[in-house]
């Protein structure tokens, strides 16, 4: 059986057959420069100390691991702990990666960052870090998303970022990524592309994972302190997959621990109605391996290979591809992936609000809904950590409308 870390180590940027660097020639040099800079930074104690200091003093780490007593009693299944990434500055895990890459831009001598954003959470995290580090910041955002997320557009502008509306394609996240890449190629001497999830060409999936792996390292220490044992299950929602791999990474080598990623099942299993890339076993159609935005992974596509439309009530999970490491973990059966519907996620959000006093992001509500769906499979001795990747403030319009 293949070791879980070996393929990535043997071929940098590969997770089994997935990952890699499928980009036009003009992007090869900047990606190689970034890879060298990241490798050097990772080994530099000064860089690591700066990263840890900002995580602690600016972002608010460590985040609590909270026992969800009323929720556990209500569900009468496993004992449930919540990893509270929602308590971080700007309201989600995304700030971990934004700080890491912001510091890297400074180290590379680049005074400007560009970023893409869907719901606006990654744009806000990037604009926040740019302000803190004195970097110029341009954020690309589909005009469809700008209309839906006006508050986050206002936050980015108040933080000093330039927000550029993207009118091409479906005017959502994947179109914003295309524009951010175009800007990067044109301005690469002065500009770093601050990609927001474990997607894109190498080194992004590895680098972004590393910046988020603090989530799992904290959670392991915290659960050992609280329970004197390791968890039996970890649950996280999976858009691109950064909060999930951030929690899972520290636990990968311990095969007894079940890792469960929950995708957006949207409003049905037909292509176009969901954003479930690894849930074919549940009947979700349209996902096959392919290349999107620089990486080889599972992609939702039509029969002739066009990128499919996706739907989720949660903007952060509404993307046609998945991080390549998740594709590999699924093939290896090291992690399990399944999808829950919009309706299940909304119900889970309401339950968490009423029982624990936490209004989660719609994305995070998917993780809890996935646990609830699998309740019959648990025993009383099971010990679960659910990653609450973000808070629900940004989703209050949706909650008010649909609940
Ligand atoms: C962006 C976002 C996600 C989805 O991104 P991943 O890379 O899959 O983690 C999940 N939760 C929240 C709160 C987000 O803002």
């Amino acid at each position: 059986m293949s070791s879980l870390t070996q393929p990535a180590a043997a071929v940098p940027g590969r997770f089994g057959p997935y990952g890699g660097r499928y980009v036009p020639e003009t992007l090869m040099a900047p990606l190689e420069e970034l890879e060298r800079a990241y490798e050097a930074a990772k080994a530099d104690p000064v860089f690591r100390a700066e990263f840890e200091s900002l995580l602690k003093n600016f972002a608010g780490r460590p985040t609590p691991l909270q026992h969800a007593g009323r929720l556990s009693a209500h569900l009468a299944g496993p004992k449930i702990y919540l990893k509270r990434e929602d308590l971080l500055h700007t309201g989600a895990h995304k700030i971990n990666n934004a700080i890491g890459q912001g510091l890297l831009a400074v180290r590379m001598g680049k005074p400007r960052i560009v970023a893409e954003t869907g719901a606006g959470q990654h744009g806000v995290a990037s604009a926040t870090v740019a302000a803190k580090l004195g970097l110029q910041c341009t954020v690309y955002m589909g005009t469809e998303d700008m209309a839906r997320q006006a508050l986050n557009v206002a936050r980015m502008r108040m933080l000093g970022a330039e927000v550029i509306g993207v009118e091409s394609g479906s005017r959502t996240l994947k179109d914003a990524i295309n524009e951010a890449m175009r800007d990067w190629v044109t301005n690469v001497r002065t500009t770093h592309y601050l990609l927001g999830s474990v997607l894109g060409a190498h080194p992004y999936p590895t680098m972004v994972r590393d910046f988020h792996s603090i989530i799992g390292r904290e959670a392991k220490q915290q659960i050992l302190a609280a329970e004197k044992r390791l968890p039996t299950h970890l649950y996280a929602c999976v858009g691109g997959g950064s909060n999930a791999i951030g929690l899972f990474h520290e636990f990968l080598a311990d095969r007894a621990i079940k890792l469960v990623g929950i995708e957006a099942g949207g409003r049905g299993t037909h292509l176009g109605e969901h954003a479930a890339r690894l849930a074919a076993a549940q009947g979700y159609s349209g996902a096959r391996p392919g290349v999107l935005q620089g990486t080889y992974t599972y992609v939702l596509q039509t029969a002739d290979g066009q990128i499919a439309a996706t739907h989720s009530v949660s903007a952060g999970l509404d993307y046609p591809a998945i991080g390549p490491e998740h594709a590999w973990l699924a093939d290896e059966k090291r992690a399990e992936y399944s999808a829950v519907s919009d309706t299940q996620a909304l119900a889970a959000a309401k339950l968490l609000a009423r029982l624990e006093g936490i209004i989660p992001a719609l994305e995070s509500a998917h993780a809890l809904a996935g646990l609830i769906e699998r309740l019959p499979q648990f025993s009383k001795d099971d010990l679960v950590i659910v990653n609450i990747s973000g808070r629900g403030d940004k989703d209050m319009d949706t909650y008010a409308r649909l609940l």
Side-chain angles (χ1 to χ4, degrees):
M1 178 171 283
S2 63
S3 135
L4 271 160
T5 48
Q6 214 174 15
V11 184
R14 285 283 178 189
F15 305 94
Y18 304 108
R21 192 177 270 165
Y22 296 86
V23 295
E25 233 172 302
T26 43
L27 275 178
M28 285 307 278
L31 286 165
E32 282 163 3
E33 180 198 5
L34 178 60
E35 182 181 7
R36 280 193 304 274
Y38 174 59
E39 288 303 320
K42 203 166 63 169
D44 180 354
V46 176
F47 180 87
R48 291 219 301 267
E50 277 178 336
F51 180 51
E52 277 159 26
S53 167
L54 281 174
L55 285 180
K56 175 168 181 256
N57 301 307
F58 185 59
R61 301 211 74 91
T63 59
L65 183 75
Q66 178 204 328
H67 175 222
R70 295 211 331 122
L71 178 70
S72 301
H74 174 83
L75 295 176
K79 186 166 189 182
I80 301 170
Y81 279 80
L82 308 173
K83 183 60 174 160
R84 299 287 312 275
E85 294 294 294
D86 60 308
L87 292 176
L88 286 172
H89 184 36
T90 69
H93 68 291
K94 289 202 169 72
I95 192 90
N96 301 321
N97 169 51
I99 289 173
Q101 287 194 53
L103 285 172
L104 202 55
V106 172
R107 186 184 167 96
M108 288 188 289
K110 307 213 170 180
R112 176 172 181 265
I113 57 171
V114 290
E116 81 294 340
T117 199
Q121 289 303 104
H122 176 58
V124 168
S126 298
T128 297
V129 168
K132 175 72 183 146
L133 298 179
L135 299 166
Q136 265 178 281
C137 178
T138 299
V139 179
Y140 289 91
M141 188 170 190
T143 47
E144 180 72 28
D145 289 334
M146 282 177 79
R148 288 190 290 199
Q149 302 289 340
L151 177 63
N152 275 341
V153 175
R155 289 167 84 193
M156 288 183 265
R157 289 187 168 142
M158 179 157 179
L159 289 158
E162 174 191 26
V163 182
I164 300 182
V166 176
E167 289 284 358
S168 57
S170 54
R171 292 181 276 137
T172 58
L173 179 61
K174 80 174 161 43
D175 314 292
I177 296 182
N178 287 339
E179 283 309 309
M181 280 188 176
R182 235 165 254 148
D183 181 314
W184 189 36
V185 178
T186 313
N187 301 297
V188 68
R189 216 173 39 76
T190 58
T191 301
H192 170 66
Y193 176 22
L194 208 169
L195 184 71
S197 189
V198 285
L199 295 164
H202 179 61
Y204 284 103
T206 303
M207 177 174 73
V208 175
R209 175 199 70 198
D210 292 350
F211 288 141
H212 282 301
S213 61
I214 182 78
I215 302 172
R217 286 201 304 278
E218 282 176 9
K220 190 183 221 173
Q221 281 191 356
Q222 289 166 322
I223 198 82
L224 285 173
E227 292 286 332
K228 312 279 178 284
R229 63 178 177 133
L230 289 168
T232 56
H233 300 71
L234 306 178
Y235 273 74
C237 65
V238 186
S242 68
N243 86 88
I245 204 71
L247 177 65
F248 295 172
H249 187 62
E250 179 71 15
F251 299 91
L252 275 183
D254 195 337
R255 285 187 168 261
I257 300 172
K258 288 205 171 64
L259 313 176
V260 186
I262 305 296
E263 301 183 282
R267 47 187 176 221
T269 53
H270 291 297
L271 191 57
E273 299 290 302
H274 64 85
R277 293 103 351 146
L278 295 175
Q282 285 172 287
Y284 289 93
S285 60
R288 295 198 307 283
V291 168
L292 183 63
Q293 293 173 327
T295 194
Y296 180 66
T297 184
Y298 277 79
V299 179
L300 288 165
Q301 50 189 299
T302 62
D304 53 1
Q306 297 297 312
I307 303 305
T310 51
H311 164 79
S312 171
V313 69
S314 146
L317 303 183
D318 196 356
Y319 182 72
I322 188 166
E325 190 167 4
H326 288 289
W328 180 59
L329 292 173
D331 274 13
E332 291 282 299
K333 304 210 176 348
R334 176 62 193 95
E336 287 173 52
Y337 298 83
S338 60
V340 297
S341 67
D342 288 353
T343 313
Q344 287 173 289
L346 286 162
K350 186 169 172 180
L351 194 70
L352 192 67
R354 299 283 167 91
L355 292 177
E356 295 291 337
I358 298 167
I359 300 177
L362 266 165
E363 291 84 2
S364 323
H366 282 71
L368 179 59
L371 183 158
I372 292 170
E373 185 174 77
R374 287 158 176 248
L375 264 184
Q377 302 173 16
F378 286 99
S379 83
K380 276 267 178 240
D381 294 334
D382 284 335
L383 180 61
V384 185
I385 297 176
V386 181
N387 206 18
I388 304 300
S389 53
R391 68 181 81 132
D393 304 30
K394 68 182 176 59
D395 299 314
M396 284 318 300
D397 283 350
T398 308
Y399 286 141
R401 198 159 35 85
L402 296 180
L403 286 176

